[in-house]
Amino acid sequence: MDQRIFDLICPDRQTTAVIFASPHSGNEYPDDLMGRTILDSHAIRSSEDAFVHDLFAAAPQFGAPILSARFPRAYLDLNRGRDELDPALIDGVRRRYHSPRIASGLGVVPRVVSNGRAIYRGKLTQAEAESRIERCWVPYHRTLRDLMDKTSDQFGQAILVDCHSMPHEAVDSLVRSEASRPHVVIGDRFGASADTAIVQRIEALFRAEGLTVARNSPFAGAYTVQHYGRPGRGHHAIQIEIDRSLYMNEAAILPHEGYEAFRALITRVIAGIADIARPTVNRMAAE
């Protein structure tokens, strides 16, 4: 991994209050992770939201910036608070409160990847954990906060769309049949992180593409939407989870034959989302 820990791609001119982010699709695995892990180079990728940054790469074409992490979720989870430290992994950390995420090994420095497979043998030092947080978490969230504030100043609001993918089996326990299985899960913390009208319009865009959409179950949104979503201030944050099987072979972690068609579908959704928060004068000029 080089010195750039994220990519921020901005349009020549931002014309919408929407910001896209992909915190879990990074695929540059640092030496200090690969030198410590007991997993092979394929297994450690199982918690990666592979290709999500590419699916949403068209955002700048529609006047919206996109922020994407380069490092992987297995190294550091940007959708966690910096204080969500796992005492089962990090030496010297004391349990301060009960957190299901930490208990399951999914703190800010993850202990496991998918299916509960351990990343390390033994513990990391607290200094190692804090170093990752300072080098990766702090600048990413500083940049995201700056994007939200500048966008809000320019447009009077900011809408963060935090983009993720979910394993196909992630909703198995919730569905009665394949027909009711959601292709997309939209999380808004049960209405706490974004205005309902915005969420409804985003949901309608996915449905118009023939996708089945669920809201807040099983993913209501974690740290990012909880922290940045302040609808009363005009700061809205929505988490989007997309079924990986729609565009990739999950076992091989490779795009499948339907990838390009699905990316075109997502590009149409991006255009619609960007238009939700485009000032009327800009929309008329574009037409």
Side-chain angles (χ1 to χ4, degrees):
M1 186 172 69
D2 67 21
Q3 293 301 308
R4 288 192 299 149
I5 61 156
F6 57 79
D7 290 314
L8 174 59
I9 303 175
C10 296
D12 292 338
R13 183 170 69 92
Q14 187 172 344
T15 60
T16 175
V18 177
I19 298 159
F20 291 89
S22 179
H24 287 166
S25 60
N27 57 11
E28 297 182 12
Y29 284 74
D31 291 342
D32 60 324
L33 171 62
M34 299 310 295
R36 295 287 302 271
T37 183
I38 59 175
L39 298 173
D40 63 39
S41 59
H42 185 80
I44 200 169
R45 294 188 64 193
S46 62
S47 63
E48 179 186 313
D49 286 355
F51 314 115
V52 167
H53 61 289
D54 184 61
L55 289 174
F56 285 86
Q61 297 176 29
F62 303 99
I66 181 168
L67 176 67
S68 304
R70 295 169 71 98
F71 60 88
R73 181 186 188 182
Y75 187 66
L76 187 84
D77 193 336
L78 292 165
N79 201 20
R80 300 289 183 266
R82 64 174 297 166
D83 62 341
E84 292 188 72
L85 298 170
D86 185 351
L89 174 65
I90 302 167
D91 196 31
V93 170
R94 294 185 177 182
R95 190 178 303 278
R96 295 185 296 165
Y97 55 89
H98 176 69
S99 164
R101 294 195 292 250
I102 294 175
S104 62
L106 298 173
V108 64
V109 180
R111 174 165 38 94
V112 301
V113 292
S114 63
N115 297 319
R117 289 172 291 180
I119 298 174
Y120 309 97
R121 181 179 292 111
K123 289 190 170 188
L124 303 181
T125 66
Q126 194 164 353
E128 287 176 289
E130 291 295 342
S131 175
R132 294 185 191 184
I133 290 167
E134 290 298 326
R135 286 185 291 111
C136 300
W137 191 100
V138 169
Y140 177 91
H141 281 284
R142 182 188 300 126
T143 300
L144 186 53
R145 169 55 64 193
D146 189 51
L147 280 171
M148 291 289 287
D149 289 342
K150 287 182 176 179
T151 297
S152 182
D153 289 345
Q154 180 178 352
F155 297 97
Q157 65 174 338
I159 302 172
L160 171 62
V161 180
D162 209 41
C163 306
H164 299 260
S165 66
M166 58 185 178
H168 181 69
E169 70 275 7
V171 294
D172 277 348
S173 63
L174 301 174
V175 300
R176 297 178 180 177
S177 67
E178 281 296 314
S180 64
R181 174 187 291 276
H183 300 115
V184 177
V185 178
I186 296 176
D188 65 353
R189 302 295 296 180
F190 300 94
S193 70
D195 185 274
T196 300
I198 294 172
V199 179
Q200 288 174 338
R201 292 183 67 180
I202 292 174
E203 182 175 338
L205 290 166
F206 283 107
R207 291 190 186 278
E209 295 291 343
L211 300 177
T212 302
V213 183
R215 203 182 298 183
N216 291 311
S217 183
F219 306 108
Y223 173 82
T224 299
V225 295
Q226 186 174 12
H227 183 73
Y228 291 96
R230 296 289 185 270
R233 295 178 50 200
H235 288 196
H236 308 275
I238 298 106
Q239 179 174 289
I240 293 175
E241 296 272 1
I242 299 173
D243 184 343
R244 293 174 187 166
S245 69
L246 294 171
Y247 60 89
M248 65 179 277
N249 179 318
E250 294 183 76
I253 318 180
L254 290 171
H256 61 43
E257 66 281 357
Y259 183 84
E260 291 302 330
F262 190 75
R263 182 165 61 170
L265 181 158
I266 292 297
T267 297
R268 293 192 294 271
V269 172
I270 292 168
I273 294 175
D275 206 43
I276 289 171
R278 198 184 309 282
T280 303
V281 63
N282 287 340
R283 188 182 298 119
M284 292 175 64
E287 294 172 349

